[in-house]
Amino acid sequence: MKFAEEQHLSTLDTTSCDSSARPSKVRYVVLSMLLVATILNYVDRSALGIVAPSLSKDLVLSKMQMGELFAAFGLAYSIALLPSGILTDVLGSRIAYALSLVGWSLATVTQGLANGYHMLLGSRLTMGALEAPAFPSNARAVTLWFPTQERGFATSVYVMGQYIGTPIFTGLLLWISAVAGWRSVFFVTGGFGILFSVIWFCAYRDPSRHRWVNKAELEYINEARSPSAQKSREKFNWRMALKLLGYRQILAICLGKFCNNTILVFFTTWFMTYLAEARHMSMIKVGIYQALPFLGATLGILVAGCLSDFFIRRGVSLSAARKAPLVIGTLLGSSIVLVNFVESNAWVIAILTIAFFAQGVGSMSWAAVSEIAPRQYVGLTSSITSLAANIAAVTTPLMIGYVIQHTGHFYWALNLMGAICLLGTFSYSVLLGKLSRIEL
């Protein structure tokens, strides 16, 4: 084994790894795979919402039960994030992501086999737990594959996957459901995930072990890193999770991500219900209009990532360049309350598109996590902050459902989401302070 590794490194040094050669672009192939995996992640978790009308009628499920199914995914996902971060740090992105992909895809398929509430609940809980390693694996891969000046763009590309899947595939999945039944939606989306897990396992390697990477690209990726930043992973210590929570930067990002993610969860759970019931739109209009806010969010994350990297290249401090999108995006997200004061559906969609665009801008917190996390605990740090963000996946559906049940409308639910965004703005602007790498 050792001889083969030395032979491989020797080949790298004497052939394609000439430092004078033009750097290879393998990191962008890796980024494309991260984008595809993230799209699959969100399409699979959103499939229930797409087929909810026909599924709930066929299985005789109440709205309360459907709300519990939405929240069940978020609960299992949140609980599994910390051990998933540990798994990512120990196994690396290649194995952790492959196991996660095939696991959640099989759980997606089992939803198509469900014959009632309890089987569906078990499938949702399982899928939530098995999707948890995805974003820690994304963060680890981007940290290893991209230099600081490109990391914001890389982060924005894979985060974009959580927004573009819905507008691209909702129409197709609705058509599949209409033609072949709601169960076929889970079979199709789960099947694609299983296929991609094989592709990921065969194609992904860390940069130092990837046969397609030349020496010039490796040097470019690592040129801004100190020798201490490139040390190998250390054995995990459970006390490290508590130690990381003692840093103000991590606590501030946790609170900010929770507040910002509240808007995202609204759009992935109750948004279509809001358009259909609160705004009395036909299903045709709902199918058309639902895409606009998601496209706005996609644009928001791309704009934030590109501008953040641009400011860094222009000499703006890393802290200011990474924090500005978080503060501006989360603050602008509070504009969602304005839909309570307009009657025109066109204005409603415009305001919701702006609010979701802002949430996309605020999602640049993943880049901030990559900048402050100890390099040997990128997966763990990502899991801690992601856990905080995904608590919103439990609280938001339940909160909105509770408010609607007791008031009969969305008014106070939207106002509460606006107030939560203001709290997130305070956390990012005041509590977070200056971004700097945590040294352990």
Side-chain angles (χ1 to χ4, degrees), residues 40-159:
L40 288 171
N41 185 294
Y42 269 78
V43 168
D44 284 353
R45 73 172 67 180
S46 301
L48 179 64
I50 294 172
V51 302
S54 54
L55 178 148
S56 59
K57 181 178 180 180
D58 190 22
L59 299 183
V60 195
L61 301 177
S62 67
K63 289 186 177 180
M64 182 69 72
Q65 286 177 314
M66 291 302 299
E68 291 170 355
L69 291 173
F70 283 127
F73 172 91
L75 177 63
Y77 188 92
S78 300
I79 293 173
L81 275 170
L82 183 57
S84 295
I86 300 169
L87 183 73
T88 301
D89 284 327
V90 172
L91 299 181
S93 293
R94 181 193 179 209
I95 297 177
Y97 222 147
L99 292 174
S100 177
L101 268 162
V102 72
W104 93 58
S105 299
L106 288 172
T108 300
V109 171
T110 63
Q111 291 179 79
L113 302 173
N115 56 9
Y117 171 79
H118 292 97
M119 184 174 178
L120 199 57
L121 178 65
S123 297
R124 292 290 292 178
L125 289 169
T126 303
M127 187 174 73
L130 294 176
E131 281 199 7
F135 272 74
S137 296
N138 285 346
R140 182 182 181 278
V142 165
T143 301
L144 290 177
W145 274 97
F146 286 86
T148 300
Q149 66 272 20
E150 292 185 3
R151 205 171 292 149
F153 167 75
T155 300
S156 69
V157 168
Y158 80 71
V159 171

Side-chain angles (χ1 to χ4, degrees), residues 26-341:
V26 181
R27 63 191 183 279
Y28 296 116
V29 176
V30 171
L31 184 59
S32 298
M33 291 195 297
L34 294 177
L35 174 61
V36 172
T38 304
I39 290 174
L40 288 171
N41 185 294
Y42 269 78
V43 168
D44 284 353
R45 73 172 67 180
S46 301
L48 179 64
I50 294 172
V51 302
S54 54
L55 178 148
S56 59
K57 181 178 180 180
D58 190 22
L59 299 183
V60 195
L61 301 177
S62 67
K63 289 186 177 180
M64 182 69 72
Q65 286 177 314
M66 291 302 299
E68 291 170 355
L69 291 173
F70 283 127
F73 172 91
L75 177 63
Y77 188 92
S78 300
I79 293 173
L81 275 170
L82 183 57
S84 295
I86 300 169
L87 183 73
T88 301
D89 284 327
V90 172
L91 299 181
S93 293
R94 181 193 179 209
I95 297 177
Y97 222 147
L99 292 174
S100 177
L101 268 162
V102 72
W104 93 58
S105 299
L106 288 172
T108 300
V109 171
T110 63
Q111 291 179 79
L113 302 173
N115 56 9
Y117 171 79
H118 292 97
M119 184 174 178
L120 199 57
L121 178 65
S123 297
R124 292 290 292 178
L125 289 169
T126 303
M127 187 174 73
L130 294 176
E131 281 199 7
F135 272 74
S137 296
N138 285 346
R140 182 182 181 278
V142 165
T143 301
L144 290 177
W145 274 97
F146 286 86
T148 300
Q149 66 272 20
E150 292 185 3
R151 205 171 292 149
F153 167 75
T155 300
S156 69
V157 168
Y158 80 71
V159 171
M160 181 178 67
Q162 68 188 25
Y163 302 107
I164 63 175
T166 297
I168 291 176
F169 294 108
T170 293
L172 174 61
L173 295 179
L174 285 172
W175 177 81
I176 291 174
S177 179
V179 171
W182 61 266
R183 296 180 186 276
S184 61
V185 171
F186 295 112
F187 297 150
V188 170
T189 56
F192 272 107
I194 293 171
L195 174 62
F196 189 73
S197 69
V198 177
I199 296 174
W200 171 269
F201 184 77
C202 293
Y204 180 85
R205 299 292 188 280
D206 287 346
S208 61
R209 297 178 179 272
H210 205 295
R211 68 179 63 186
W212 298 343
V213 178
N214 64 15
K215 187 176 180 180
E217 184 174 16
L218 282 176
E219 291 178 347
Y220 176 71
I221 292 171
N222 294 320
E223 63 183 352
R225 299 179 182 175
S226 63
S228 62
Q230 301 181 50
K231 59 186 178 181
S232 60
R233 296 189 301 269
E234 297 180 359
K235 186 177 180 181
F236 177 75
N237 186 332
W238 277 103
R239 291 176 296 178
M240 188 54 59
L242 294 177
K243 184 175 181 179
L244 289 173
L245 284 172
Y247 288 89
R248 189 180 75 172
Q249 291 184 99
I250 292 179
L251 289 176
I253 289 180
C254 284
L255 177 58
K257 284 175 74 70
F258 166 80
C259 295
N260 181 265
N261 210 46
T262 297
I263 301 296
L264 171 62
V265 175
F266 165 74
F267 279 98
T268 56
T269 56
W270 287 99
F271 174 48
M272 293 188 186
T273 301
Y274 172 76
L275 295 183
E277 296 185 2
R279 292 295 169 175
H280 308 292
M281 294 186 187
S282 67
M283 290 308 297
I284 294 178
K285 287 185 177 181
V286 170
I288 296 173
Y289 288 146
Q290 61 83 23
L292 297 179
F294 282 91
L295 294 175
T298 303
L299 178 62
I301 188 62
L302 287 176
V303 168
C306 291
L307 286 179
S308 181
D309 286 346
F310 172 78
F311 289 142
I312 289 176
R313 290 193 293 268
R314 288 298 177 126
V316 176
S317 71
L318 182 145
S319 181
R322 295 296 192 232
K323 281 184 61 176
L326 310 185
V327 176
I328 295 172
T330 308
L331 177 61
L332 188 58
S334 63
S335 64
I336 195 171
V337 302
L338 296 178
V339 298
N340 285 329
F341 306 101

Side-chain angles (χ1 to χ4, degrees), residues 248-250 252-253 318-320 322-324 326-327 368 372 426-436:
R248 189 180 75 172
Q249 291 184 99
I250 292 179
I253 289 180
L318 182 145
S319 181
R322 295 296 192 232
K323 281 184 61 176
L326 310 185
V327 176
I372 69 169
F426 173 77
S427 182
Y428 282 141
S429 59
V430 178
L431 298 181
L432 181 55
K434 182 179 179 181
L435 295 180
S436 60

